[in-house]
Amino acid sequence: MYVIESKIDKQSDAFKKNYEAMEALVGDLQNELKIAMESRSGKAVQRLEESGKMPAKKKLELLLDKNTPFLEIAPLAAKGLYDGKVHKAGLISGIGMVEGREVLISINDATIKGGSAYPLTVKKSIRLQTIAMENRLPVISLIDSAGAYLPLQSEIFPDSHNGGRTFYNQAKMSKMGIPQIAAVMGLCTAGGAYGVAMCDDIVHVKGHGAIFLGGPPLVRAATGEEVTADELGGAYLHCQESGVSDYIAEDDADAISIIRKIVKNLPENEKSRLTMMKPEPPVYDPKEIYGIVSRDIAVPYDCREIIARMVDGSRFLEFKELYGSTLVCGWAHIHGYPVGILANNGILFPESALKATQFIQLCDKRKIPLLFLQNINGFIIGKAYEQGGITKNGHKMVNAVSTASVPKFTVIVGASFGAGNYAMCGRGYSPRLLWMWPNAKIGVMGGTQAADVLITITNDQNKRLGKPPLTKEEELFLRKPIEDAAEKEGNAYYSTANIWDDGILDPAKTRDTLGLAISAALNAPIRDDVYGHGVFRM
């Protein structure tokens, strides 16, 4: 492999202005992450303390091995949605180390609406289960939930990817042999009771942990029976009489201690093996990415410059460098793990798509994980390119991306528009994890382009009807709401709030995040037993 020779002038005005712009975006991101983790109402915190419960953040600290990293998933889910206070969609979640083993963790935050489940709480839960199943990660759930947020029950209950899907997934995980461990640290009502009961190991906290299909108010309304939560579903009832729970805990800290013992007692899981290299940092400072990525998303830059600041030793073996040059493909290592990288250097041409197809096949055959760095406006269009087979060549690329069975990871580092999002392994193509940078934009097309298309169509219609073309004022009337909507719905925060991605990353920390993600993925077979691709149109 060759060390990428950087051509960046760090003293240039463009670099400095880009750096300042990205540094401001990263500062905003850090502030939003702090708010999501720490902003809670004083009343809710006081109520939690009075009940003898531990804050969710403290639970996470006790659960994780000391001085180990935590890869948080969807930390800004539901940002700005509902009343703006359902931080993280009510769940602190991610991949971390417990007793030396990578596990997926989900913790209800009872200081957010009593741990009630909103529609995005359900969506996040299902996303976490998908991550656990794809990467064969044991699941630890620390549960304290008031159940479904009833005013939005129609968005939570009946459909195929609503609340019931979580129990379906639990059954599938059990069949797959994925350990599921739950701690009952508060109310587990109705569906929440099933969510606990379907786990392999249940730790039940005395005093404030309770499991029941219907709580005291519902029991009273339905039967007239007066009963307390502890009498109906407390730790002694379920540990001594019903047999629902397996371990009784004195308090939250004791429950976490028991969970750590359970994890330690799990059979050893032999991870998949890759041809590793000794990890080493890049030659160039990853923070230099700030100055490389243009503050104007329409201004291009050489993606090799960001690759040089992500990969070990800044070494990169480029594949077909002179062919299909708008897509850079090649091999590198990240924290010692081999990766095949596909990164955009412009719009996708027929040659770019063919190159990608061949490269993906090689990586899949050689069991090398794939990393997609998206900065893409889409495929080239026009008569000449249609004659040249852009549609069938694009189909080959999409087919290869879809059917590659090695772990895939995607980072949206700039634009992610139209079919380019699909071909470069967008969310619909099941990357193991997908992130955005704070400058990233996503949509069918950019706001300006969408407005131009609508204006052109309207003028064509007017011409057919014998009407004059739109005036400048009429064009502005059409253009502004489209561009405003694209700006609002296409930015990284809107995406991450709706869980279209797994989080927004500081570009300088992307390398470390990828290292953690690849390591977690190796808990599953590196490639499934059904190797190969679909039919490629010739």
Side-chain angles (χ1 to χ4, degrees):
M1 293 186 181
Y2 304 94
V3 175
I4 296 173
E5 183 178 347
S6 179
K7 297 179 174 62
I8 294 298
D9 179 5
K10 292 184 286 185
Q11 302 306 315
S12 69
D13 287 342
F15 183 92
K16 292 175 182 177
K17 288 178 180 178
N18 289 342
Y19 195 104
E20 289 172 4
M22 182 62 82
E23 193 171 42
L25 289 174
V26 171
D28 291 341
L29 172 62
Q30 292 169 344
N31 185 56
E32 293 294 345
L33 291 170
K34 183 177 180 180
I35 290 170
M37 182 63 84
E38 298 178 2
S39 178
R40 304 292 184 269
S41 78
K43 186 181 292 185
V45 172
Q46 182 181 355
R47 189 161 51 241
L48 189 79
E49 291 174 351
E50 290 173 350
S51 67
K53 296 179 182 178
M54 185 181 291
K57 184 180 177 183
K58 181 64 176 177
K59 292 176 184 177
L60 178 64
E61 291 171 359
L62 281 182
L63 181 61
L64 293 172
D65 292 349
K66 299 294 183 186
N67 302 316
T68 58
F70 179 62
L71 177 53
E72 189 169 3
I73 305 296
L76 296 177
K79 170 182 157 45
L81 302 177
Y82 309 121
D83 64 356
K85 297 178 181 178
V86 186
H87 303 295
K88 302 179 182 291
L91 296 173
I92 297 178
S93 57
I95 300 169
M97 299 293 291
V98 175
E99 291 293 342
R101 184 159 182 165
E102 287 155 322
V103 299
L104 190 137
I105 297 166
S106 176
I107 305 174
N108 286 109
D109 191 338
T111 60
I112 299 176
K113 314 297 185 183
S116 294
Y118 282 69
L120 279 168
T121 313
V122 174
K123 183 175 182 179
K124 184 170 179 177
S125 297
I126 292 172
R127 174 64 188 144
L128 295 171
Q129 291 177 323
T130 301
I131 292 169
M133 287 188 282
E134 289 180 341
N135 300 289
R136 303 293 199 276
L137 295 171
V139 178
I140 296 174
S141 302
L142 307 186
I143 304 170
D144 184 358
S145 174
Y149 181 66
L150 294 179
L152 297 177
Q153 62 176 323
S154 65
E155 299 177 44
I156 294 172
F157 173 67
D159 209 349
S160 60
H161 277 77
N162 287 165
R165 190 72 176 190
T166 60
F167 313 134
Y168 172 89
N169 285 343
Q170 283 188 271
K172 299 288 280 186
M173 285 192 284
S174 181
K175 182 179 178 180
M176 293 168 68
I178 296 174
Q180 299 173 72
I181 304 163
V184 180
M185 295 177 158
L187 298 181
C188 300
T189 309
Y194 286 118
V196 174
M198 296 187 74
C199 290
D200 303 322
D201 298 270
I202 301 172
V203 181
H204 202 138
V205 178
K206 292 194 297 186
H208 51 252
I211 308 170
F212 32 61
L213 294 183
L218 182 58
V219 170
R220 184 166 57 251
T223 69
E225 182 182 7
E226 294 285 348
V227 63
T228 67
D230 199 52
E231 291 169 337
L232 189 61
Y236 283 110
L237 181 138
H238 284 309
C239 286
Q240 288 183 330
E241 298 180 39
S242 73
V244 169
S245 302
D246 307 308
Y247 307 89
I248 193 164
E250 294 295 325
D251 52 26
D252 289 348
D254 187 34
I256 291 169
S257 175
I258 294 170
I259 285 176
R260 289 181 57 82
K261 290 181 175 67
I262 294 169
V263 173
K264 189 173 184 177
N265 195 49
L266 292 174
E268 185 176 353
N269 178 52
E270 185 173 345
K271 295 175 68 171
S272 294
R273 298 176 65 86
L274 296 173
T275 303
M276 301 283 291
M277 299 286 284
K278 183 179 179 181
E280 59 179 307
V283 170
Y284 311 102
D285 183 356
K287 210 167 182 181
E288 291 174 3
I289 292 172
Y290 291 7
I292 295 166
V293 176
S294 175
R295 56 199 180 279
D296 180 354
I297 201 168
V299 175
Y301 57 87
D302 188 351
C303 64
R304 295 176 186 85
E305 296 288 355
I306 61 174
I307 293 171
R309 290 154 179 85
M310 280 188 191
V311 302
D312 291 5
S314 301
R315 286 190 296 273
F316 185 60
L317 178 59
E318 188 163 348
F319 176 72
K320 288 186 184 292
E321 180 180 358
L322 302 180
Y323 182 80
S325 58
T326 59
L327 183 69
V328 173
C329 300
W331 290 278
H333 288 79
I334 294 177
H335 281 283
Y337 299 110
V339 290
I341 299 174
L342 298 93
N344 300 117
N345 245 4
I347 201 164
L348 288 168
F349 284 81
E351 298 82 5
S352 316
L354 285 175
K355 174 168 138 180
T357 303
Q358 184 182 359
F359 181 72
I360 291 167
Q361 285 181 303
L362 286 171
C363 290
D364 205 20
K365 186 76 171 177
R366 297 171 183 174
K367 298 185 178 182
I368 297 175
L370 290 163
L371 169 61
F372 296 82
L373 300 177
Q374 282 198 20
N375 184 19
I376 179 67
N377 286 316
F379 287 89
I380 190 68
I381 59 174
K383 181 179 177 181
Y385 299 107
E386 292 296 348
Q387 289 174 335
I390 183 62
T391 300
K392 69 178 182 181
N393 290 342
H395 134 77
K396 293 184 181 76
M397 181 177 178
V398 169
N399 192 323
V401 171
S402 302
T403 54
S405 57
V406 292
K408 299 175 289 189
F409 304 92
T410 301
V411 185
I412 301 176
V413 302
S416 179
F417 294 131
N421 170 278
Y422 299 160
M424 288 295 292
C425 201
R427 183 67 120 188
Y429 290 75
S430 294
R432 295 289 179 91
L433 289 158
L434 180 149
W435 303 273
M436 297 183 81
W437 282 358
N439 61 303
K441 304 285 185 184
I442 188 169
V444 174
M445 63 179 72
T448 300
Q449 292 81 2
D452 288 344
V453 169
L454 181 60
I455 289 168
T456 299
I457 291 172
T458 304
N459 280 330
D460 288 346
Q461 290 174 338
N462 287 348
K463 185 176 181 180
R464 288 196 300 271
L465 296 172
K467 295 180 179 180
L470 296 171
T471 66
K472 293 296 183 183
E473 291 75 15
E474 288 171 331
E475 285 189 7
L476 182 61
F477 181 79
L478 283 178
R479 179 181 297 279
K480 191 173 187 313
I482 294 172
E483 291 182 343
D484 288 348
E487 179 62 28
K488 174 189 173 185
E489 298 175 4
N491 72 60
Y493 286 109
Y494 190 88
S495 168
T496 209
N498 285 282
I499 319 182
W500 297 347
D501 56 63
D502 297 308
I504 303 174
L505 297 181
D506 175 349
K509 296 180 180 177
T510 301
R511 162 184 164 80
D512 293 339
T513 301
L514 286 166
L516 295 172
I518 296 168
S519 176
L522 297 182
N523 284 278
I526 193 67
R527 194 181 69 204
D528 64 32
D529 294 332
V530 185
Y531 167 71
H533 300 273
V535 175
F536 289 150
R537 182 168 295 281
M538 305 310 289

